[in-house]
Amino acid sequence: MKYALLCGLVLLSFIANGQNLVNYRDTANHFSVGIPDGWQIIKNKQILSLKFMAQRADSALVAPENFTVNVVDEPRSNVDAVAKKLLYYIGRNPYFKLLDSGSIVSSGKRMIWLDEIHLEGSRTDTIFASIFIAYSNNKTYLLTATTLLPFSAGFKPLFHEIGNSFKTGKAAGKERLKIALPANVKWATITDTEVDNLATRQFLPANETAQQWTLLINNMTMENARVDNIDLAVKSFSEAAVSKASQAKVTLLGKENIPQRRWALFKVETPGAGSPESQLYYVIQGPRSFHAIFIAQKTETLSAAFVSKWSAVFRKSKVVNE
């Protein structure tokens, strides 16, 4: 997985980013939200409804500021009914107190927000929370941002800024690189997100996991980004690979570098590495966005048959709006 993360960071260097809130979009669960600078995304694999969590990375507190997004199936309901039900359940906490509430409209959809305080479990600290409730496509969306009560005055405006950035439902189509994965393997999507202008999709064979895998496909799009010389993209990936593995060997397999046809196909191999990982890359400039896709294999080199097979898959890919 190291190159999946590495390449995402490398590609971000092509994009100017001066926003206070970095946009995160989960296209699988149909929501987007702004993440404050200096906050980190926390992975969760235990709670099915918990689709997102971020926390303030520079906090020394035992309970640092954080916010979560939960998505729950709620057929034939509406935002008011959901808010009423939520208040009923959280109101049963004897230490719960509703401080304020209201509603906003985001992308044409009404959301209800609540500011409240409560205690959690055996903790003695009082928690302040801002909760934003949305309803879309028979699903309830709950964004909950929390801090300790003594810090609530400082963080409440930020929590409401995050809440106002929260959008649910399917977004308008965007430029993506679409590939037809080989049908002889059943593939599972493990990542389908957007952070600011970087969209990432990752695929594994369905019988493998993010911790134990033999093949990994990473498909990235840098929205509204242009690379006028495809050699710069190849150079950026190559230098990143060599900086992480001194054994890395880069081989250019093909390219075009003229207007309307800017693409390159190359491989990175790691002969002699203690923990080998090799990749085949395809990068292409689309009409509005830049796209990069690679398949990684935990081997020192890539066989000629492997390169031939996946080169054909990548070259048959199409830039589409979806």
Side-chain angles (χ1 to χ4, degrees), residues 100-113:
D100 199 3
S101 64
S103 65
I104 58 175
V105 176
S106 178
S107 297
K109 295 180 180 178
R110 181 167 164 266
M111 286 196 297
I112 292 176
W113 60 267

Side-chain angles (χ1 to χ4, degrees), residues 134-295:
Y135 185 83
S136 179
N137 299 322
N138 288 315
K139 295 181 183 294
T140 291
Y141 293 79
L142 295 177
L143 186 155
T144 305
T146 65
T147 186
L148 299 179
L149 180 59
F151 307 108
S152 59
F155 282 97
K156 176 182 172 181
L158 176 61
F159 290 171
H160 278 254
E161 186 178 356
I162 295 170
N164 277 273
S165 75
F166 189 42
K167 295 177 175 57
T168 62
K170 294 184 178 180
K174 295 187 177 183
E175 185 179 296
R176 295 290 182 263
L177 183 65
K178 191 174 185 65
I179 65 170
L181 295 173
N184 63 326
V185 175
K186 185 177 180 181
W187 298 90
T189 302
I190 60 170
T191 301
D192 190 350
T193 61
E194 295 178 17
V195 180
D196 201 6
N197 292 334
L198 180 65
T200 304
R201 290 176 176 174
Q202 291 182 321
F203 308 91
L204 291 175
N207 62 344
E208 298 183 0
T209 68
Q211 292 73 37
Q212 298 290 330
W213 57 271
T214 59
L215 292 175
L216 164 71
I217 297 174
N218 200 73
N219 189 351
M220 295 172 286
T221 294
M222 293 179 301
E223 296 177 352
N224 303 313
R226 177 165 292 279
V227 177
D228 292 325
N229 186 339
I230 204 68
D231 293 331
L232 294 177
V234 176
K235 183 174 183 287
S236 181
F237 279 105
S238 301
E239 289 179 347
V242 172
S243 71
K244 293 295 181 180
S246 59
Q247 305 94 335
K249 178 184 177 182
V250 181
T251 305
L252 182 65
L253 303 172
K255 73 172 184 177
E256 286 187 279
N257 200 23
I258 59 176
Q260 310 306 319
R261 288 206 306 273
R262 297 194 191 280
W263 64 270
L265 185 72
F266 57 99
K267 63 179 180 178
V268 177
E269 297 173 303
T270 55
S275 300
E277 182 182 319
S278 299
Q279 305 87 27
L280 177 69
Y281 289 86
Y282 178 60
V283 294
I284 182 171
Q285 177 65 56
R288 298 188 307 277
S289 302
F290 184 78
H291 309 272
I293 186 169
F294 71 80
I295 181 166

Side-chain angles (χ1 to χ4, degrees), residues 40 43 57 72-73 119 153 163 173 179 198-199 255 268 293 304 311 321:
Q40 62 184 7
K43 297 295 184 182
V72 182
D73 289 329
L119 294 181
I179 65 170
L198 180 65
K255 73 172 184 177
V268 177
I293 186 169
S311 294
N321 286 304

Side-chain angles (χ1 to χ4, degrees), residues 26-60:
D26 185 328
T27 55
N29 294 293
H30 307 307
F31 71 83
S32 65
V33 67
I35 307 173
D37 288 341
W39 290 46
Q40 62 184 7
I41 298 173
I42 307 299
K43 297 295 184 182
N44 163 70
K45 297 183 181 300
Q46 285 74 43
I47 305 173
L48 291 179
S49 67
L50 182 56
K51 304 303 182 182
F52 176 86
M53 179 177 181
Q55 71 177 25
R56 190 162 67 92
D58 58 354
S59 174

